[in-house]
Amino acid sequence: MAGVQILVVGPRELPASGTVEVWADAGSGGVGQRITVPVTDLQMAEVDSGNGRYAVYALRSRH
């Protein structure tokens, strides 16, 4: 069984190291929150279009 992915939206161009602020959507109505995560915890999601200022990332689990 495949693991659950948490998808977040952040800037397409990430810094080489450090942290970045991303948006984690919580469902309907644009409810969610901004969170700061290490850039090493982000991996480009398969659903990302490859276009625009923002990208969709899969947030790596820390467990």
Side-chain angles (χ1 to χ4, degrees), residues 6 11-12 15 19 23 25-27 29 32-33 35-36 38 42-44 46 53 56-57 61-63:
I6 297 173
R12 183 161 301 282
T19 60
W23 173 259
D25 191 25
Q33 63 183 15
I35 57 173
T36 301
L42 297 174
Q43 179 178 359
M44 190 71 65
E46 291 181 19
R53 289 180 49 197
V56 180
Y57 296 98
S61 172
R62 295 184 195 169
H63 292 115

Side-chain angles (χ1 to χ4, degrees), residues 16-56:
S17 62
T19 60
V20 66
E21 187 176 87
V22 296
W23 173 259
D25 191 25
S28 64
V31 178
Q33 63 183 15
R34 291 183 181 110
I35 57 173
T36 301
V37 299
V39 295
T40 55
D41 285 356
L42 297 174
Q43 179 178 359
M44 190 71 65
E46 291 181 19
V47 297
D48 183 70
S49 69
N51 299 311
R53 289 180 49 197
Y54 300 99
V56 180

